[in-house]
């Protein structure tokens, strides 16, 4: 019987999964068992769309369809939890298994805190994540830095600090540092990310620490919850998954790599946040950059912290409808509502047509708020700062001031008087 | 519960952004980013973001309608076809006008053109409610050989100098506007000539508030200043172009002093613009179709020929199109034959009783103003294919319900000549049908025995590539790649990100300068004291999308604060706007972001008068 805290090497016994899988196919086998045992009704995972740069979410119900979700797509920059909130009833009506990167896992918790997702109905298998690359940038990078036609590439991976491609006629690796120096490489939020092993998932899987004969053929699994332990035991029992104790040296290496990645994340934070300046200078940078906003609402629709039906940015008293660019209040509203809980998933930046480094701004503020109030978003169900406002008391206080905008717009107390 | 992503192309503007339709249990319930599309990399503007809303709008008409005693009555497709066939058969071809659509697919427009040509036998077919698109395209074709944008939306970000004129991309074609932002981040200098401090003007290095209608004078002024400074690209002009002398003579009167006066700008600024435009290359002009487009496009073409800015990435004349398939509708040949009428002429002919039947597919021509609506009342028989009861549809005798872009297959061609797929993600709502299918069935009902026996959009596309040379060799299979294909595709060489690397597509292979003189348009007068900076009207899709209506609930007239004060107008007041063609009432938007003496509104008028009608 495995239990929370256990570590092991795992790989599949299923020939088809093995062919397509990244590192032994543990993740896909676990999902196979989850579906077959009806532990979950469906699995939400990532599959290739038009090609290996085109990551697409798929909802799988038939275990036979799982093989197409095996393999890691490093150009998959999607955030799955918000899709579950938007399109799958917040997992209220079905049990869903989801493969999660660190940012996905964090987003799940933040959405759950806001009662937008029912975590009881979610099983998360986490994958360690060194970062993801936006697909069009990846293609440009492959053409420019590797001198390879991106259409000829049939596999990409990130290993030992290199972005490696396999293509018709060879393979080539270039260090991620060098690529990022040249303006390519991982998304800017990924560079700052320190959620390398998503331990808030039920299982955390990755290649770090797999050494010896199993290297490249098995995945290192850290059991992070009783749910995870049960799933793993079940998969072994059903015969789809094989496991063994990890090489102790591997364990050590895994710890070291994780530590090194955290340091790298810290380095990037320093680099990015110092670039923003401080105090008034920072404000000025933010105001200048956001002044290009075309009000597409993408940052809001993609953000895992945003969920309000009546978004305050749509209150005409604050932001005049139709004004492009909108006033700074549009952005202030987002800062005020989100900064304490931003999980640095990068969606608001990657999707911004005005090329505003939104995630960088929000993340910078989150880090400051964390220093001040100690709240760490995305790790557990601990409530954010804003939740500590006692709503009734606050409403009463606002009401006594006579004219409070929030109050008026939400409850219209003067209506009918 | 079922969830699926279907990649498609945004149905709104000519930027042609890729989107993923989110299909849940057989219904399109949202849009998700399609990061892999090279045009927009997953990013969209508000329209793309909400482009699923109109699909499920309860206002959609999904049954054929026949007007009886002034009222629409639901009908079967067979009866609707019979009704149309009966009427159209009794009308002579030259009395029939056909309006194709800049927002339906190439396949629809292709069969529609054949329908006009071979079934109702009219030369009067056009695809745009106003004359500007055709003018603009002709301007480009005459200068360079092909009636399309010379470069790519994506390569605008490689430009080192950009002149934006007659266009506000950040608002109108936002994901093309993004490329200007990117260029600027890469060190480009951006000049915006616009009477309004538009969203694009706000990111410019140099904003020049020229009077509306004086674009040609300004462009000629910049050309003259470049020639005067001896900064023209003599080698390029000698080797690759002709008629430079004609252009030189024509721009000569546009001295900085003259231009300053015409455009209402400070004197030194034209020279400054010329300096920026020639300081580094590549340099490009970004514009869109509007009034006097033909001249603006020729004057822009002169400027890039003069400086050798054609045939390289990041240069050229970049015509951004308002609607998703404006380029494709033209490529399919939905333009009047020599003896046919364009839409404005059709309207005049209708008013004069010379056009007695109209067939309109997916365009709302009546929105152009009261004059058009009046002319339509005189037309004996009108057929409209649409999703919604537009002003034009309301005047129809037979209404045929079209399937939305999520309910059918097809292709659309964006501004940069990229032929992209539209994919069927769900079944057509109600009994609506794909536009091409409607046309084919009707043609068959009218006795056409060949040319309309298509079973799928794919089959039509196979015909298109045989008949439209620039599309030769393209197949649906090739379009599966997210890059799709930018025509010309002839000769098996695909993916022309920019045209004319070697030579121009004109008969003699030379880029052709033109003598485009500035002629003053309708001047402001004591009767109509305000010049109009035209605004794009919100179209049928926007008007049926709640999220967009929330942002833009009504047409507004934007006026400078100083002018407004004199007239006692404040923001929110109702204002009567009168021009030569009549008057309308709009809400005022008072700002400092527009030149004094200029107002901005979505109407085709050159000069207007404003009167406050109500409001404190
Ligand atoms: C973007 C990314 C970066 C990674 N970086 C590291 C790293 O630095 N160090 C490390 O030890 N491990 C990393 N991994 C994890 C590693 O690549 C393997 O996924 C893991 O070892 C499991 O292997 P497997 O053979 O059991 O998985 P498989 O059985 O092949 O299953 C892989 C699962 O990942 C899902 N998936 C694929 N792409 C994505 C995506 N973009 N986003 C979300 N889910 C996805 C698939 O749908 C599938 O469920 C990364 C994974 C991803 C997706
Ligand atoms: S934010 Fe972190 S977890 Fe998410 S993709 Fe980037 S590196 Fe991976
Ligand atoms: S994504 Fe960018 S442009 Fe769109 S609303 Fe947000 S900040 Fe503005
Ligand atoms: S603010 Fe941006 S980076 Fe932060 S959680 Fe929201 S979308 Fe992600
Ligand atoms: S820029 Fe144009 S094509 Fe792109 S999302 Fe907006 S409206 Fe659609």
């Amino acid at each position: 019987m495995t239990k929370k805290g256990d570590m092991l090497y795992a790989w599949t016994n299923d020939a088809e999964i093995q062919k397509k899988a990244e590192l032994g196919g543990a993740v896909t086998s676990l999902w196979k068992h989850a579906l077959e045992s009806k532990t979950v009704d469906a699995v939400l995972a990532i599959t290739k769309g038009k090609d290996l740069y085109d990551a697409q979410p798929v909802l799988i119900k038939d275990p036979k369809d799982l093989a197409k979700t095996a393999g890691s797509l490093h150009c998959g920059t999607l955030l799955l939890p918000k899709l579950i909130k938007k399109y799958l009833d917040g997992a209220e009506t079905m049990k869903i298994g989801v493969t999660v990167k660190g940012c996905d896992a964090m987003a799940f918790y933040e959405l759950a805190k806001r009662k937008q997702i029912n975590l009881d109905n979610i099983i998360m298998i986490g994958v360690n994540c060194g970062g993801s690359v936006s697909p069009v940038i990846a293609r440009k990078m492959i053409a420019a830095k590797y001198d390879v036609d991106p259409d000829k590439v049939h596999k990409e991976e990130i290993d030992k600090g290199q972005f490696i491609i396999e293509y018709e006629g060879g393979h080539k690796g270039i260090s991620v540092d060098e690529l990022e120096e040249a303006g390519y490489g991982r998304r800017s939020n990924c560079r700052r990310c320190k959620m390398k092993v998503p331990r808030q998932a039920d299982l955390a899987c990755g290649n770090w620490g797999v050494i010896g004969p199993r290297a490249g053929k098995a995945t290192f699994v850290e059991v992070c919850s009783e749910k995870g332990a049960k799933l793993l035991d079940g998969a072994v029992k059903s015969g789809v998954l094989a496991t063994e104790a990890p090489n102790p040296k591997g364990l050590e290496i895994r710890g070291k790599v994780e530590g090194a990645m955290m340091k790298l994340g810290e380095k990037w934070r320093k680099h990015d946040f110092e670039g923003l300046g401080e105090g008034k200078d920072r404000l000025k940078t933010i105001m200048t950059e956001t002044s290009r906003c075309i009000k597409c609402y993408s940052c809001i629709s993609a953000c895992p912290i945003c969920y309000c039906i009546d978004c305050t940015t749509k209150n005409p008293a604050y932001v005049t409808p139709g004004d492009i660019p909108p006033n700074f209040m549009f952005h202030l509203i987002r800062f005020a509502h989100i900064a304490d809980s931003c999980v640095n998933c990068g969606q608001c930046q990657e999707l911004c047509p005005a090329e505003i480094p939104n995630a960088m701004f929000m993340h910078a503020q989150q880090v400051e708020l964390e220093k001040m109030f100690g709240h760490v978003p995305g790790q557990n169900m601990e409530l954010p700062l804003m939740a500590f406002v006692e709503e009734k008391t606050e409403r009463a206080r606002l009401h006594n001031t006579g004219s409070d905008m929030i109050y008026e717009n939400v409850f219209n107390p003067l209506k009918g008087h | 519960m079922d969830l699926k992503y279907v990649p498609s192309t945004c149905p709104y503007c000519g930027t042609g952004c890729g989107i993923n339709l989110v299909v849940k249990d057989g219904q399109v319930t949202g849009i998700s980013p399609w990061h892999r599309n090279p045009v927009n990399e997953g990013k969209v503007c508000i329209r793309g973001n909400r482009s699923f809303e109109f699909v499920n709008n309860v206002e959609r008409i999904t049954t054929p309608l026949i007007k009886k005693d002034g009222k629409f009555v639901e009908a079967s497709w067979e009866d609707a076809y019979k009704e149309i066939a009966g009427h159209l058969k009794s009308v002579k071809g030259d009395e029939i006008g056909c309006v194709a659509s800049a927002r339906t697919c190439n396949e629809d427009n292709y069969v529609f053109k054949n329908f006009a040509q071979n079934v109702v036998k009219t030369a009067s077919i056009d695809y745009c409610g106003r004359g500007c698109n055709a003018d603009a395209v002709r301007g480009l074709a005459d200068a360079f050989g092909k009636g399309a944008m010379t470069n790519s939306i994506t390569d605008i970000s490689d430009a080192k100098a950009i002149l934006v004129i007659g266009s506000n991309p950040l608002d109108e074609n936002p994901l093309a506007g993004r490329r200007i932002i990117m260029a600027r981040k890469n060190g480009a200098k951006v000049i915006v000539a616009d009477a309004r401090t538009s969203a694009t003007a706000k990111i410019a290095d140099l904003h020049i508030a020229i009077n509306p209608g004086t674009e040609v004078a300004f462009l000629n002024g910049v050309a003259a200043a470049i020639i005067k400074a001896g900064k023209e690209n003599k080698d390029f002009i000698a080797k690759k172009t002709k008629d430079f002398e004609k252009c030189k003579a024509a721009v000569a009167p546009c001295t900085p002093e003259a231009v300053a006066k015409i455009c209402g700008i400070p004197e030194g600024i034209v020279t400054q613009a010329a300096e920026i435009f020639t300081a580094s290359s590549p340099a490009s002009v970004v514009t869109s179709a509007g009034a006097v487009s033909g001249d603006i496009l020729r004057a822009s073409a002169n400027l890039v020929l003069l400086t050798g800015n054609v045939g390289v990435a990041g240069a050229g004349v970049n015509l951004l199109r308002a609607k998703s398939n404006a380029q494709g509708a033209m490529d399919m040949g939905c333009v009047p034959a020599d003896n046919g009428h364009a839409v404005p002429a059709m309207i005049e002919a209708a008013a004069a009783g010379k056009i007695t039947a109209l067939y309109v597919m997916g365009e709302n021509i009546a929105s152009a103003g009261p004059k058009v609506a009046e002319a339509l009342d005189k037309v004996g028989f009108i057929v409209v294919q649409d999703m919604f009861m537009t002003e034009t549809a309301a005047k129809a005798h037979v209404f045929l319900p079209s399937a939305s872009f999520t309910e059918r297959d097809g292709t659309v061609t964006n501004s940069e000549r990229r032929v992209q797929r539209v994919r069927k993600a769900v079944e057509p709502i109600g009994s609506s049908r794909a536009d091409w299918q409607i046309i084919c069935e009707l043609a068959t009902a009218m006795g056409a025995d060949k040319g309309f026996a298509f079973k799928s959009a794919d089959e039509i596309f196979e015909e298109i590539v045989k008949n439209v040379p620039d599309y030769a060799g393209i197949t649906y299979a090739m379009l599966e790649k997210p890059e799709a294909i930018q025509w010309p595709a002839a000769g098996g060489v695909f993916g022309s990100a920019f045209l004319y690397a070697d030579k121009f597509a004109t008969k003699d292979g030379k880029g052709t300068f033109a003598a485009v003189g500035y002629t003053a348009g309708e001047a402001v007068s004591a009767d109509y004291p305000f010049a109009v900076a035209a605004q794009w009207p919100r179209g049928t899709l926007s008007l049926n999308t709640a999220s967009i209506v929330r942002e833009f609930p009504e047409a507004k007239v934007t006026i400078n604060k100083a002018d407004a004060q004199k007239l006692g107008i404040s923001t929110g007041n109702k204002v009567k706007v009168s021009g030569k063609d009549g008057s309308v009432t709009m809400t005022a938007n008072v700002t400092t972001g527009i030149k004094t003496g200029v107002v901005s509104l979505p109407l085709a008028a050159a000069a207007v008068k404003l009167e406050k009608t109500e409001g404190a």
Side-chain angles (χ1 to χ4, degrees):
Chain A
M1 286 283 277
T2 22
K3 55 184 188 320
K4 189 174 162 185
D6 282 357
M7 317 244 186
L8 34 96
Y9 287 171
W11 63 93
T12 188
N13 284 327
D14 182 302
E16 204 196 342
I17 293 177
Q18 196 185 10
K19 255 193 291 178
K20 303 241 171 75
E22 190 70 17
L23 293 151
V27 173
T28 309
S29 305
L30 285 159
W31 287 142
K32 187 167 185 226
H33 170 68
L35 280 176
E36 281 172 349
S37 62
K38 307 217 162 18
T39 311
V40 296
D41 302 310
V43 169
L44 185 65
I46 300 285
T47 190
K48 260 186 225 171
K50 296 288 167 202
D51 55 25
L52 83 165
Y53 306 99
D54 188 20
Q56 234 187 35
V58 270
L59 190 70
I60 305 258
K61 285 182 208 142
D62 185 344
K64 284 205 253 350
D65 298 336
L66 269 175
K68 70 175 175 200
T69 69
S72 302
L73 296 178
H74 296 91
C75 297
T77 57
L78 315 176
L79 194 76
L80 298 174
K82 191 83 188 253
L83 294 182
I84 294 179
K85 174 207 152 21
K86 276 196 199 169
Y87 303 116
L88 299 174
D89 298 347
E92 215 38 84
T93 50
M94 70 198 289
K95 283 197 190 304
I96 309 174
V98 193
T99 313
V100 296
K101 307 181 294 302
C103 47
D104 291 308
M106 291 194 280
F108 262 127
Y109 280 92
E110 290 309 312
L111 280 161
K113 285 177 203 177
R114 289 162 179 78
K115 302 197 167 35
Q116 300 303 304
I117 280 191
N118 183 354
L119 271 194
D120 292 342
N121 282 339
I122 296 283
I123 295 190
M124 289 183 236
I125 299 184
V127 289
N128 297 354
C129 186
S132 56
V133 187
S134 301
V136 175
I137 308 253
R139 288 174 60 87
K140 277 192 192 134
M141 172 176 91
I142 289 167
K145 299 290 290 183
Y146 293 73
D147 202 18
V148 169
D149 174 357
D151 289 333
K152 300 266 156 69
V153 174
H154 51 75
K155 176 144 181 58
E156 46 74 31
E157 59 180 330
I158 301 182
D159 192 24
K160 302 202 176 62
Q162 288 200 324
F163 185 87
I164 303 163
I165 55 168
E166 276 176 34
Y167 54 97
E168 283 168 35
H171 66 102
K172 225 182 237 183
I174 299 181
S175 90
V176 172
D177 287 345
E178 185 189 333
L179 296 169
E180 285 171 5
E181 199 82 356
Y184 299 109
R186 299 167 301 159
R187 297 181 298 162
S188 111
N189 63 302
C190 291
R191 298 174 193 182
R192 293 190 304 272
C193 175
K194 295 208 279 188
M195 188 45 68
K196 297 292 122 184
V197 179
R199 295 188 174 85
Q200 64 279 66
D202 297 298
L203 297 165
C205 304
N207 65 334
W208 292 335
V210 186
I211 56 165
R214 297 258 176 241
K217 297 190 197 88
T219 272
F220 191 112
V221 184
E222 179 171 343
V223 180
C224 306
S225 75
E226 296 312 325
K227 245 196 226 174
K230 205 170 146 215
L231 181 68
L232 195 119
D233 282 340
V236 172
K237 205 166 155 211
S238 77
V240 66
L241 192 75
T243 61
E244 70 182 25
N247 182 319
K249 191 96 196 286
L251 236 153
E252 194 183 311
I253 291 174
R254 179 174 180 264
K256 276 194 185 143
V257 181
E258 190 186 358
M261 290 302 288
M262 303 283 264
K263 262 201 199 128
L264 187 61
E266 195 48 55
K267 191 194 98 182
W268 275 107
R269 288 183 184 202
K270 195 155 178 272
H271 170 273
D272 286 359
F273 299 159
E274 276 178 5
L276 291 178
E278 270 181 29
K280 269 191 194 156
D281 292 336
R282 180 173 287 193
L283 181 63
K284 196 166 164 230
T285 309
I286 294 177
M287 288 182 79
T288 310
E289 290 281 318
T290 53
S291 71
R292 289 191 302 268
C293 173
I294 61 157
K295 216 188 187 191
C296 68
Y297 290 104
S298 296
C299 47
I300 293 170
S301 52
C303 179
I305 318 298
C306 286
Y307 68 94
C308 304
I309 294 168
D310 282 323
C311 177
T312 310
T313 60
K314 292 188 176 161
N315 180 339
Y318 293 124
V319 184
T320 313
D323 273 6
I324 296 174
N327 59 13
F328 189 50
M329 186 55 91
F330 179 85
H331 303 279
L332 282 177
I333 291 167
R334 283 223 348 116
F335 295 148
H337 291 188
I338 284 145
D340 67 354
S341 299
C342 169
V343 297
N344 183 40
C345 70
Q347 298 299 318
C348 55
Q349 183 161 340
E350 193 184 19
L351 298 175
C352 177
E355 301 293 314
I356 302 167
N358 285 314
M360 198 201 292
F361 297 158
M362 201 68 89
H363 190 203
Q365 295 177 62
Q366 184 276 319
V367 167
E368 293 301 319
L369 289 169
E370 186 176 320
K371 279 188 216 153
M372 284 191 255
F373 301 102
H375 174 67
V376 190
Q379 308 268 19
N380 47 38
M381 287 300 283
E382 219 164 84
L383 293 177
L385 267 186
M386 296 262 266
F388 293 112
V389 178
E390 216 291 287
E391 190 172 339
K392 276 199 187 125
T393 329
E394 188 61 7
R395 293 276 173 222
R397 186 187 69 74
L398 289 166
H399 186 46
N400 289 336
T401 63
S403 123
D404 174 69
M405 299 263 281
I406 302 171
Y407 195 79
E408 267 176 31
N409 283 303
V410 177
F411 294 104
N412 260 326
L414 302 177
K415 219 191 217 166
H417 281 244
Chain B
M1 236 178 310
D2 243 358
L3 188 73
K4 137 178 118 166
Y5 273 32
V6 180
S8 191
T9 307
C10 172
Y12 280 91
C13 89
T15 306
C17 295
I19 51 176
N20 269 311
L21 305 173
V22 182
V23 184
K24 183 188 165 187
D25 298 334
Q27 206 190 10
V28 177
T29 48
I31 296 295
S32 253
W34 188 20
H35 301 77
R36 177 65 184 83
N37 184 288
V39 177
N40 59 316
E41 301 172 35
K43 304 169 193 237
V44 286
C45 73
I46 183 172
R47 288 173 286 169
N49 209 351
R50 307 306 299 179
S51 53
F52 62 98
E53 276 186 29
F54 70 81
V55 172
N56 303 314
N57 189 325
V58 291
E59 300 284 317
R60 251 184 83 179
I61 315 259
T62 58
T63 320
L65 304 172
I66 299 176
K67 207 177 255 168
K68 291 196 174 126
D69 304 325
K71 274 204 185 117
F72 279 122
V73 180
E74 293 193 353
S76 69
W77 280 101
E78 287 62 35
D79 288 348
Y81 291 148
K82 241 186 246 160
E83 181 83 7
I84 299 167
H87 272 89
L88 290 186
K89 273 192 178 153
S90 62
V91 185
K92 281 199 304 245
D94 58 6
E95 288 187 12
I96 300 177
C98 286
V99 183
S101 176
R103 68 164 166 78
T104 63
C105 293
N106 289 322
E107 290 74 6
D108 308 315
N109 284 299
Y110 182 77
V111 292
F112 190 69
K113 183 211 66 179
N114 288 346
F115 176 77
Q117 215 167 49
N118 305 327
V119 180
V120 300
K121 299 192 168 51
T122 176
S124 297
I125 175 168
D126 196 4
Y127 68 93
C128 153
R130 304 173 187 201
C132 31
N133 271 299
D135 270 6
V137 166
R138 201 171 313 116
L140 285 171
D142 291 347
F144 305 124
K146 298 276 184 195
M149 183 161 162
T150 61
N151 283 58
S152 289
I153 287 165
T154 43
D155 82 15
I156 294 175
S157 34
D158 296 333
K160 290 291 168 226
I162 301 175
L163 169 59
V164 184
I165 187 159
S167 175
N168 177 14
L170 255 62
D171 191 2
E172 295 163 347
N173 301 88
L175 271 294
R178 165 184 176 233
R179 297 289 167 175
I180 301 176
I181 292 172
M182 290 169 82
R184 213 172 160 269
K185 284 201 162 183
N186 293 336
K189 289 271 182 282
V190 177
I191 311 164
V192 173
D194 194 327
R196 300 158 299 182
T197 314
S198 66
T200 315
K202 284 186 182 156
I203 63 156
D205 296 280
L206 182 63
H207 170 210
I208 309 175
I210 63 169
N211 290 328
T214 65
E215 291 82 3
V216 171
F218 178 77
L219 287 162
N220 282 354
V222 175
I226 291 172
I227 297 169
K228 189 171 163 215
K231 294 249 183 79
E232 73 274 23
N233 188 333
K234 296 180 185 76
D235 189 47
F236 185 92
I237 295 170
K239 286 195 183 127
K240 296 203 160 180
T241 72
K242 67 175 186 195
D243 295 345
F244 170 59
E245 292 305 322
K246 281 190 201 163
C247 161
K248 190 173 169 183
V251 302
C254 292
T255 59
E257 304 75 49
V259 172
K261 216 163 148 207
I262 296 167
C263 299
I265 52 178
E267 264 186 28
I269 213 160
V270 174
T271 316
Q272 205 185 332
E275 277 162 9
I276 293 176
F277 200 77
T278 49
S280 42
S281 57
S284 78
V285 179
V286 173
T287 187
S288 56
V292 297
S293 267
D295 285 352
I296 296 176
L297 267 293
R298 278 322 285 270
S300 303
N302 285 344
L303 200 55
V304 298
L305 288 171
L306 186 67
T307 51
N309 276 305
V310 208
V312 286
V317 177
N318 297 296
L319 173 68
L320 306 177
R321 317 297 296 266
K323 290 187 183 169
S324 59
N325 202 30
Q327 184 65 45
M330 206 233 36
D331 295 343
M332 294 307 109
C334 293
V335 285
D338 290 341
N339 54 339
H341 296 310
V343 172
M346 282 183 215
I347 298 305
E348 274 172 35
K354 288 183 184 147
I355 288 274
T356 60
L358 261 183
Y359 197 118
V360 184
M361 174 175 77
E363 287 284 336
N364 183 16
I365 53 174
S367 69
K371 248 184 144 177
V372 181
E374 277 165 35
L376 292 185
D377 286 333
K378 299 216 174 114
V379 179
F381 186 68
I382 301 178
V383 183
V384 172
Q385 264 175 236
D386 210 309
M387 289 179 288
F388 294 98
M389 192 49 69
T390 63
E391 290 115 302
T392 311
K395 297 191 182 289
H397 299 89
V398 181
F399 178 94
L400 304 174
S402 310
S404 81
F405 80 113
T406 67
E407 296 148 22
R408 40 85 44 89
D409 287 313
T411 57
V412 286
T413 306
N414 76 354
S415 302
E416 49 167 8
R417 304 166 272 104
R418 199 184 295 270
V419 185
Q420 301 191 99
R421 277 297 310 275
V422 159
R423 291 182 178 84
K424 179 172 175 175
V426 293
E427 288 303 318
I429 291 189
S431 66
S432 63
R433 292 179 183 174
D435 285 302
W436 65 263
Q437 191 188 347
I438 300 175
I439 302 289
C440 289
E441 288 168 356
L442 175 62
T444 311
M446 288 178 72
D449 52 0
K450 58 178 172 31
F452 296 94
F454 298 109
K455 294 273 174 305
S456 67
D458 194 350
E459 279 180 21
I460 303 174
F461 196 76
E462 283 171 21
E463 277 296 305
I464 292 174
V465 301
K466 285 184 207 145
N467 292 294
V468 181
D470 282 328
Y471 287 62
I474 308 179
T475 62
Y476 266 31
M478 290 173 187
L479 302 180
E480 282 303 301
K481 224 183 117 177
E483 277 67 27
I485 284 175
Q486 285 177 277
W487 66 252
V493 184
F494 295 115
S496 320
F498 55 88
L499 303 174
Y500 320 126
D502 304 323
K503 61 181 173 75
F504 290 92
T506 46
K507 279 205 183 91
D508 54 10
K510 302 254 185 209
T512 313
F513 281 98
V516 210
Y518 164 71
T519 40
E522 183 194 332
V524 295
S525 59
D527 285 346
Y528 304 116
F530 290 101
V532 175
Q535 222 178 77
W536 283 10
R538 305 284 152 189
T540 307
L541 306 186
S542 297
L543 292 170
N544 289 288
T545 298
S547 304
I548 296 178
V549 172
R550 202 199 73 80
E551 293 287 331
F552 310 98
E554 52 183 348
K556 281 188 183 160
V557 50
T558 300
I559 176 170
N560 183 282
K561 203 170 168 184
D563 291 330
Q565 262 162 6
K566 282 184 211 148
L567 297 168
I569 296 171
S570 354
T571 291
N573 287 168
K574 292 278 180 239
V575 175
K576 184 171 157 199
V577 184
S578 318
K580 264 192 341 200
D581 287 346
S583 43
V584 287
T585 301
M586 285 186 195
T587 305
N589 170 34
V590 178
T591 162
T592 50
I594 190 166
K595 219 175 163 171
T596 51
V598 179
V599 294
S600 175
L601 58 139
L603 267 191
V608 293
K609 165 171 82 175
L610 302 190
E611 294 158 282
K612 177 170 150 180
T613 59
E614 63 175 74

